[in-house]
């Protein structure tokens, strides 16, 4: 009887609370119903517990269908005999349950709507995807994969400017395969271009519009390749037989490879030729002007810098720059003395401005410096240098520097007998970053970069 009295008292408390908050409550029992009381008492040997579950919106009690609404929705749930009350869920699980409960099945994309999505709008969206995302995207179906050959998709890609170039490099350990560095993801990628001659060592020497120009180590044969789509072609044999080392530059005829491209090579004695992709042939527009001193004494360790339709080469005797305009076919030379105490110079360009990178050594201290060419005075002005804490690693060491890319974002390889470091320098942000080690897939050995060039990745560039 004491248990029954306690139960009646508990029910009366709930009724008061229900009336206080204005909720309709169905009574647990009727005072005139003796059979119902007997039913409650008969369950004393198997007691049941009730607990308040705030995770549920509403529920039904086994006995009375009582619904309690006081501020937050709540309910009573009956436990089975001889079972302890469940433990409280962690807050993260309750939040996850609420979020999943809010999912509306009607929000699933309907095929009838999305199959009418405009094709040109789809191409415009896909053209702005990150390169790595696109290659996952194109594996969905044949239609999406065929976008690479679509002229309209090529036009959309031409409207998108890549923020940063990628770098195609050759390693000492694997001269027949390249390694591509993606600075946006800070990752090395290892493409395979099986159609290239397997027994020929090809070196990347120039790039334009997403295409990379290769020259074999014997300086005889040229190849042009898109490293992303792995399409390539071998250029016709040159008419001038020069097998010595040559400097190479590359420009576009328009804003994309659809308008064609040109490749220029020049030797130390003034021989040069221009390849036109539209004509698919080499041409020799004329002879080197008599005002340009021969031999050219070109700095073959330096990349050529391309600005608009003009290609700039660095020369050492006399110190300065030699330029060739691909439109009018005119040569010019500029006398520009190199900065004092500097070595390992390489040309670069950023936003139409000619830059210079090199090593400055004083006593036993070595540092990487960046200069900008002053157009009025034709002198190099220092604009930045590597952080001193990084330069401490070079102290007392014989360091050599090689440029692996010079298009706005510079990639520099710094080597000595004891170390091999690769860094990037963003000319606009004036930001120095260390590049992670290049390791082959499923390998552990770090690869040593031999040479490379920067290129702006383009999915639709065709050689």
């Amino acid at each position: 009887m004491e248990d029954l009295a306690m139960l009646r008292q508990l029910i009366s408390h709930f009724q008061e609370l229900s009336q206080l908050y204005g909720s309709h409550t169905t009574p647990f029992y009727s005072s005139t119903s003796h059979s119902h009381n007997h039913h409650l008492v008969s369950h004393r040997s198997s007691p049941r517990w009730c607990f308040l579950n705030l995770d549920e919106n509403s529920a039904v009690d086994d006995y009375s269908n009582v619904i309690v609404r006081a501020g937050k929705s709540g309910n009573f749930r009956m436990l089975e005999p001889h079972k302890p009350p469940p433990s409280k869920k962690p807050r993260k699980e309750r939040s996850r349950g609420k979020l999943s409960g809010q999912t509306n099945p009607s929000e699933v994309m309907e095929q009838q709507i999305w199959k009418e999505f405009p094709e040109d709008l789809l191409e415009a969206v896909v053209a702005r995807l990150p390169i790595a995302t696109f290659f996952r995207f194109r594996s969905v179906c044949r239609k999406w994969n065929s976008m690479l050959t679509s002229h309209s998709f090529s036009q959309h890609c031409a409207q998108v400017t890549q923020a940063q170039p990628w770098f195609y490099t050759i390693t000492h350990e694997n001269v027949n395969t390249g390694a591509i560095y993606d600075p946006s993801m800070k990752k090395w990628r290892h493409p395979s271009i099986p159609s290239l001659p397997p027994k020929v060592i090809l070196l990347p020497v120039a790039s334009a519009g997403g295409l990379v120009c290769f020259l074999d180590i014997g300086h005889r044969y040229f190849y042009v390749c898109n490293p992303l789509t792995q399409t390539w072609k071998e250029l016709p044999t040159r008419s001038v037989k020069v097998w010595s080392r040559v400097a190479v530059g590359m420009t576009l005829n328009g804003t994309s490879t659809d308008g064609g491209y040109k490749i220029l090579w020049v030797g130390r004695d003034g021989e040069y030729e221009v390849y036109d992709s539209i004509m698919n042939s080499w041409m020799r527009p004329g002879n080197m002007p008599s005002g340009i001193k021969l031999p050219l004494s070109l700095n073959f360790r330096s990349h050529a810098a391309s600005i608009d339709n003009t290609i700039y080469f660095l020369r050492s005797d006399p110190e300065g720059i030699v330029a060739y305009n691909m439109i009018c076919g005119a040569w010019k030379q500029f006398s520009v003395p190199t900065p004092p105490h500097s070595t390992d110079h390489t040309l670069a360009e950023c936003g139409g401005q000619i830059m210079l990178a090199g090593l400055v050594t004083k006593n036993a201290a070595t540092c990487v410096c960046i200069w900008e060419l002053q157009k009025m005075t034709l002198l190099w002005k220092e604009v930045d240098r590597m952080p001193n804490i990084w330069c401490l690693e070079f102290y007392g060491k014989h360091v050599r520097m090689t440029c692996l890319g010079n298009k706005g974002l510079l990639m520099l390889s710094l080597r000595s007998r004891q170390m091999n470091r690769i860094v990037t320098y963003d000319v606009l942000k004036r930001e120095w970053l260390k590049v992670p080690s290049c390791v082959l897939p499923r390998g552990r050995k770090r690869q040593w970069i031999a040479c490379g060039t920067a290129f702006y990745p383009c999915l639709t560039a065709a050689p």
Side-chain angles (χ1 to χ4, degrees), residues 190-202:
H190 301 272
S192 59
I193 309 177
S195 299
L196 289 176
K199 297 183 180 180
V200 178
I201 299 177
L202 301 177

Side-chain angles (χ1 to χ4, degrees), residues 359-370:
L359 294 177
V360 172
T361 303
K362 291 183 180 181
N363 299 326
T366 302
C367 186
V368 181
C369 292
I370 307 296

Side-chain angles (χ1 to χ4, degrees), residues 99-346:
L99 291 175
S100 62
Q102 295 174 357
T103 303
N104 189 352
S106 63
E107 295 178 358
V108 179
M109 295 173 64
E110 297 183 7
Q111 184 179 2
Q112 290 298 117
I113 298 176
W114 289 97
K115 73 177 184 179
E116 303 297 335
F117 194 79
E119 191 72 20
D120 58 338
L121 183 57
L122 176 63
E123 291 181 350
V125 173
V126 174
R128 286 158 176 81
L129 290 175
I131 299 297
T133 304
F134 174 80
F135 280 98
R136 293 194 297 268
F137 167 90
R138 61 181 288 205
S139 63
V140 173
C141 61
R142 294 181 179 178
K143 181 178 179 181
W144 289 1
N145 184 43
S146 64
M147 283 188 183
L148 285 176
T149 58
S150 169
H151 178 69
S152 58
F153 181 66
S154 177
Q155 292 178 331
H156 284 297
C157 290
Q159 298 173 3
V160 180
T161 57
Q162 296 292 336
Q164 289 184 324
W166 287 15
F167 300 92
Y168 189 98
T169 64
I170 299 296
T171 64
H172 284 285
E173 292 80 3
N174 296 275
V175 293
N176 291 324
T177 59
I180 297 178
Y181 181 69
D182 176 3
S184 62
M185 301 295 293
K186 296 181 174 59
K187 289 181 60 177
W188 286 97
R189 307 180 186 278
H190 301 272
S192 59
I193 309 177
S195 299
L196 289 176
K199 297 183 180 180
V200 178
I201 299 177
L202 301 177
L203 307 177
V205 291
S207 70
L211 299 178
V212 176
C213 177
F214 293 86
L215 178 63
D216 75 301
I217 199 171
H219 313 107
R220 297 191 178 193
Y221 307 106
F222 282 88
Y223 301 84
V224 176
C225 171
N226 185 335
L228 298 185
T229 60
Q230 300 183 6
T231 55
W232 70 280
K233 78 172 183 179
E234 180 180 356
L235 303 190
T237 304
R238 294 180 290 166
S239 59
V240 180
K241 307 299 182 181
V242 176
W243 311 132
S244 60
R245 198 167 185 180
V246 297
V248 182
M250 185 176 182
T251 61
L252 294 177
N253 294 337
T255 58
S256 68
T257 56
D258 292 341
Y261 56 87
K262 290 185 174 70
I263 298 174
L264 165 70
W265 69 262
V266 56
R268 63 181 302 273
D269 294 327
E271 315 93 332
Y272 71 96
E273 278 186 306
V274 176
Y275 171 80
D276 190 334
S277 65
I278 302 298
M279 304 296 295
N280 192 29
S281 63
W282 291 96
M283 301 176 295
R284 187 171 184 179
N287 297 320
M288 189 76 65
S290 59
I292 296 180
K293 181 183 177 181
L294 298 177
L296 289 177
S297 301
L298 296 175
N299 184 349
F300 293 107
R301 292 178 57 87
S302 170
H303 286 257
S306 300
I307 300 177
D308 296 330
N309 295 300
T310 303
I311 301 178
Y312 299 87
F313 301 95
L314 192 63
R315 66 184 302 179
S316 56
D317 184 21
E319 294 180 343
I321 295 174
V322 178
Y324 179 77
N325 189 293
M326 300 285 263
I327 300 297
C328 62
W331 285 93
K332 290 184 179 180
Q333 66 176 355
F334 307 92
S335 178
V336 185
T338 57
H341 310 290
S342 61
T343 58
D344 293 0
H345 307 106
T346 182

